[in-house]
Amino acid sequence: MGLSKKDARTREQKEKAAKGIKVETTAAGVPKKAAKPTIQCTVCKAPIIASMPVSLRDHAGKHPKVTPADCFPGATIAP
C-alpha cells in the first residue's frame, strides 16, 4: 500500500532537515507561504499589500485632501 499524504510530507520534511533546509510549517504540517510585501500609507500609517494597485487607490480615496501619490509615494496605483 502506498504512503499517505501525511507520511509523504513527513518523509520530505525529514529529508530536507537532513540536508539542512528548514521549511516553516503550520501546526498541521503544511508549508507556510511567504508574506506579501506591504506598503504603509504616509497619512494614516495603515499597511496595504503593495502588489494590489486597486486597493491602494481605494484606500487613498479615504484621504480626500491628499493625492494617492502622496499616500503611497513610489507605488503603482490603479487609475
Side-chain angles (χ1 to χ4, degrees), residues 3-75:
L3 290 175
S4 69
K5 186 175 181 179
K6 183 178 179 181
D7 291 337
R9 184 174 50 232
T10 303
R11 177 184 282 177
E12 180 183 344
Q13 289 174 354
K14 285 183 180 181
E15 289 173 358
K16 287 184 178 183
K19 292 177 184 177
I21 303 170
K22 176 71 175 165
V23 178
E24 298 264 344
T25 58
T26 62
V30 179
K32 290 183 179 179
K33 293 182 180 181
K36 294 183 179 182
T38 59
I39 188 167
Q40 198 171 29
C41 176
T42 57
V43 177
C44 66
K45 307 299 184 205
I48 308 291
I49 297 174
S51 60
M52 299 176 67
V54 174
S55 294
L56 296 175
R57 180 197 63 205
D58 292 345
H59 176 80
K62 295 179 182 179
H63 308 292
K65 294 182 180 180
V66 183
T67 64
D70 292 335
C71 281
F72 303 105

